[in-house]
Each structure stands twice: as C-alpha cells, then as structure tokens.
Amino acid sequence: MLTAAIASGDPRSSARLLASLEQSGLVGSIKQWLMPMEKLPDSSEQLPDVVFLDLSHDNEAFFTFGAHLRRIHPATRIIACSATVPPSPQLLLEAMRGGVQDFLPKPIEPEALKGILAQVLQENEGKDRPSFNKLVVIMGSKGGVGSTTVTVNLGVKLATHAKKRTLVLDFARPLGNVHLLLDLQPHFGLRDAVENLDRLDSHFFAGLTTRHKTGLEILGGASQPEEWQSIATPPLERVVNVAQSSFDIVLLDMGSQFSPEWSTILRTARMILVVAEANVPSLWALERRLMALTGFGIEPDRARVVINRWHRNDEEALKSIQKEIRRPIFACLPNDYRKASLAVNLGTPLMENHNNLLNDRYREIASQLAGIDVRPFAKKSGLGDLFSFTPKR
Ligand SMILES: Nc1ncnc2c1ncn2[C@@H]1O[C@H](COP(=O)(O)OP(=O)(O)OP(=O)(O)O)[C@@H](O)[C@H]1O
Ligand SMILES: [Mg+2]
C-alpha cells in the first residue's frame, strides 16, 4: 500500500484526484496540501511515497515545491497532473527541473493512474500487498442457501463482538435484501455510488451508507430488478476500493451470481466464503464453483466453504465432499429454522444467547476473520471434524 499527497491550489480538483486515488485501491493514506504552502516540509517529516502536483496557472510554485521535495526526500515519486495535453516542451523542461518524473493528463484516466501507482508499488518492492486485504466476499453455491443470512449475522458479530468497523456491500442480484434482515431503510445505495463515480471518495461514500444500531453499516443494494441493467462490473471495483479505505472489514454479499467479470474483485478478496447446504444440488454446484474460482487464479486457501443449515446426519456427505474438493470445510452453521426465520422476519440479527449454537458459530467465524482468539468449542458441539480453522492469512 502506498502513501500519497496531493498538492493543489484548487479544492475541487484536489477532491477529484483524492477520489481517483481512493478508487485505485493502491493507496492507503492520502494527505491534501493547499498550495501555495506557507511552510515547506522539512527532512524530519515523514514524506509520502508519491506526491501529485495538481498544476494550475502558477506552475512555478509547484515546480519549486517539487524540487524541494526531491532534495529532501529523493525516494518520493513526483507526478504532475496537467490539463495542458500534450504538455509543451517548455512545460516539460520546467517540470523536469522541478523533479517531476511522470505526467498525467487531466481529467485523470483511472487506468493510467493505476498503472503508475502499480509501477511505484513494484519499485518499492512489495512492502505491502497491492490491496487493502479487508474484503471478504460471501457467495452462495446456488440461490437460497443463506448467503445473505451469513453476511448479515457475520457482519453484526464483527461489529459487536470483534469491535471492527464493518461494512456490508449488498451486491446481490437482481435485488438486494440485506436491509430487510436488519430492518433498515437505506436512503441511498449501490446505484448512487455507481452513478457518482467521479466524486466517490470516503467522504461521499460515508453519506451513502446506513448504520444499524449494532454499529454495522450497509450500502443498500438494488431495490428494483432492472437496476442491474445499468450497473457494469468495473465501477463496482472502485466502490469496493473506496469502501475498504473507510472500514476495517468489508463484507460483500454477491448472492449466487457468477461470471468472469467478477474475477478482478474476487482476486482482491482476502477470503471468499462459499455458502452451501449439505444436499446433492448444492454440493454439486459448490464443487463446480470452487473449480471456477481456481480457474480465476484464486488459491484454494482463500476460497473457504461454509455449510449452512448443517445437521448431524450430514457428516458422511460432508466427509466425502471434503475429499472431492480437497480442502476442509471452514465452518458449519447448524440448521435452526425457528431462530433463523424469526430473525429474518423481525429484521433482527441472531440474538446473543449462550444456548444458541448458531449464534456461537457466527461469533467464532467473526473472531477468526478479525484475528482474535478463537475459543475451543468444537469438542463440546461435536462438530470438531467439520469446523477447521486454519491459520489466518
Ligand atoms: N442456519 C439456518 N437455519 C435455518 N434456516 C436458515 C439458516 N440460515 C438461513 N436460513 C434460511 O434460509 C433462507 C434463505 O436465506 P438467505 O436469504 O440468506 O439465502 P440467500 O442465499 O441469500 O438467497 P438468495 O439466493 O435469494 O439471495 C431464509 O429463509 C433463512 O431464514
Ligand atoms: Mg440473498
């Protein structure tokens, strides 16, 4: 992850650049410097990996500033953003003297920006992974197996038990119903994010999310089936990146949809939880889905299987599926129709209750994802073989 700063004399232009940087998914922290600066940074200050000079009329002040930065911190990459396209030879010469190494035309093209940032990251020799590593995707092996129930209850446990700033992105198709399970009425949602990509930064994004009383936040999904017709997948990638810049953990309910277009988002996920039931159609679909994920270049270690509505009699079937898919089942969530449907119909997540096995399981998974102590419980419940927490990434 890179650190960056934007030096600009125009707050609106600076905000646009900020949004583009957040959307790139490659920048962790971003400073905004107002030009001309009253006091120039000195060598004792920690300077960012990349500085963007948002050129305007008075280029001289920017280049003096750039040259100063290069002098005190030669490792900083200086990139000029200019609306003069192509830059004149005179401008290029002045920029070079001002320590500028790259030129980006304005308005900034996301792919060009990402290309330069990726290059800087590579040059900085993988000090960090080029992603936020906060995204957990939840998908159903087929429809109706519990992808949304798992997303919501896990989200609540991450927010309450693990005390993580947690966001649910409702990307299920054709309709998103995360809000129903939490009895929320979002005023804004996915569509607003996608329709305002040019100003989508963490500040704007905060205005689109809806908070549940547990602290869990959601970005509401599609409320009309035809909404998805106007939503392409690449902009979703940018929504995911901005979301990760504001939260500790981002859960993405993608329902049971599956297409190669999603591979970019799936590849950046820290973990993909594939929810299935222990019946033939669901396990059949699970096996194929896992194979397809491997085909997208996702290591088996990152695609974990969650068996929902588990019942003791399922153990034999699950033992054989573990052999088929050549990986252990990550978690089993017991079948509890009464509690699950009560929770859904009341719009309340599963209650904290010591006798509630389902609730315990969700807490265990949340602890695992959040990297906090997992209490040994398997023996007591008899699910020992079917609940394998392998070391976290
Ligand atoms: N552990 C459980 N025990 C019993 N019932 C459950 C359990 N988990 C979920 N359910 C029930 O299964 C049904 C489907 O759940 P859910 O809506 O989460 O599935 P989904 O995979 O998101 O479906 P869709 O494909 O429509 O998005 C709901 O009625 C829910 O209450
Ligand atoms: Mg669903």
Side-chain angles (χ1 to χ4, degrees):
M1 196 65 69
L2 292 169
T3 55
I6 302 165
S8 177
D10 174 355
R12 281 177 49 186
S13 172
S14 175
R16 276 196 294 273
L17 190 49
L18 175 75
S20 304
L21 286 173
E22 287 184 339
Q23 288 168 8
S24 75
L26 299 175
V27 184
S29 81
I30 306 162
K31 283 184 191 163
Q32 285 177 289
W33 290 328
L34 183 65
M35 293 290 286
M37 282 179 84
E38 277 177 12
K39 182 182 163 294
L40 292 178
D42 66 45
S43 52
S44 63
E45 284 180 46
Q46 200 174 17
L47 289 170
D49 300 314
V50 197
V51 171
F52 290 85
L53 302 179
D54 186 21
L55 301 186
S56 54
H57 306 300
D58 180 15
N59 290 339
E60 207 187 313
F62 283 94
F63 295 145
T64 309
F65 179 59
H68 170 75
L69 289 180
R70 290 283 291 172
R71 229 179 358 261
I72 60 168
H73 197 256
T76 292
R77 177 86 156 241
I78 299 178
I79 300 166
C81 305
S82 167
T84 314
V85 185
S88 65
Q90 178 64 23
L91 180 59
L92 279 176
L93 189 67
E94 287 171 13
M96 220 172 65
R97 289 184 184 138
V100 171
Q101 288 141 300
D102 301 277
F103 246 92
L104 270 178
K106 284 203 288 190
I108 304 286
E109 186 53 51
E111 285 313 307
L113 177 66
K114 221 171 164 175
I116 289 191
L117 293 173
Q119 198 189 353
V120 179
L121 253 180
Q122 211 174 16
E123 285 170 13
N124 287 6
E125 274 191 346
K127 283 181 205 147
D128 213 334
R129 274 168 58 90
S131 90
F132 290 84
N133 218 13
K134 296 173 178 177
L135 178 67
V136 177
V137 173
I138 296 98
M139 63 161 76
S141 69
K142 61 190 269 303
V145 292
S147 155
T148 306
T149 310
V150 170
T151 306
V152 166
N153 286 290
L154 199 53
V156 167
K157 287 287 173 283
L158 283 164
T160 52
H161 174 65
K163 308 259 182 296
K164 295 285 176 191
R165 287 177 304 145
T166 309
L167 173 79
V168 168
L169 293 172
D170 190 351
F171 284 6
R173 205 170 170 157
L175 290 169
N177 61 351
V178 163
H179 64 288
L180 293 180
L181 272 67
L182 292 164
D183 195 21
L184 293 174
Q185 279 138 19
H187 294 298
F188 304 104
L190 171 60
R191 190 176 167 171
D192 302 282
V194 172
E195 283 177 358
N196 290 283
L197 274 190
D198 55 333
R199 52 192 179 127
L200 187 67
D201 59 12
S202 47
H203 181 71
F204 185 80
F205 189 73
L208 301 182
T209 57
T210 309
R211 193 179 170 86
H212 184 251
K213 59 184 179 223
T214 54
L216 176 68
E217 304 226 12
I218 69 163
L219 179 71
S223 56
Q224 303 293 333
E226 63 276 12
E227 268 176 42
W228 274 97
Q229 281 168 18
S230 57
I231 300 176
T233 321
L236 297 179
E237 198 189 323
R238 289 160 69 186
V239 176
V240 170
N241 288 336
V242 174
Q244 289 187 88
S245 67
S246 317
F247 289 86
D248 297 327
I249 297 190
V250 175
L251 302 181
L252 189 164
D253 177 12
M254 71 178 267
S256 57
Q257 61 181 309
F258 198 83
S259 93
E261 285 188 337
W262 280 85
S263 60
T264 325
I265 291 180
L266 293 172
R267 271 198 292 267
T268 63
R270 172 185 155 198
M271 199 181 279
I272 300 166
L273 298 178
V274 188
V275 182
E277 288 178 7
N279 56 45
V280 172
S282 176
L283 294 178
W284 181 84
L286 169 72
E287 209 182 320
R288 270 140 196 86
R289 204 163 266 245
L290 293 176
M291 259 162 26
L293 288 174
T294 307
F296 287 169
I298 291 152
E299 307 93 352
D301 176 45
R302 281 201 291 144
R304 307 285 181 99
V305 177
V306 174
I307 298 296
N308 193 28
R309 310 190 71 162
W310 175 87
H311 190 269
R312 206 161 288 279
N313 298 342
D314 297 333
E315 294 214 18
E316 279 310 309
L318 294 182
K319 269 184 194 148
S320 86
I321 192 77
Q322 288 188 102
K323 275 197 201 127
E324 291 290 329
I325 60 176
R326 276 181 258 124
R327 74 191 85 187
I329 283 165
F330 178 61
C332 285
L333 295 162
N335 186 39
D336 194 332
Y337 180 74
R338 202 181 62 80
K339 288 209 175 68
S341 52
L342 195 70
V344 170
N345 291 330
L346 293 179
T348 53
L350 294 162
M351 301 292 180
E352 283 290 343
N353 174 346
H354 289 302
N355 299 320
N356 185 342
L357 203 57
L358 196 49
N359 186 60
D360 285 352
R361 291 298 166 273
Y362 277 117
R363 214 174 41 223
E364 300 285 350
I365 307 176
S367 304
Q368 168 75 0
L369 291 182
I372 55 181
D373 262 3
V374 179
R375 180 175 55 87
F377 68 95
K379 282 210 173 62
K380 194 178 78 181
S381 68
L383 293 177
D385 292 343
L386 296 176
F387 194 97
S388 51
F389 278 142
T390 43
K392 47 184 187 297
R393 286 162 52 82

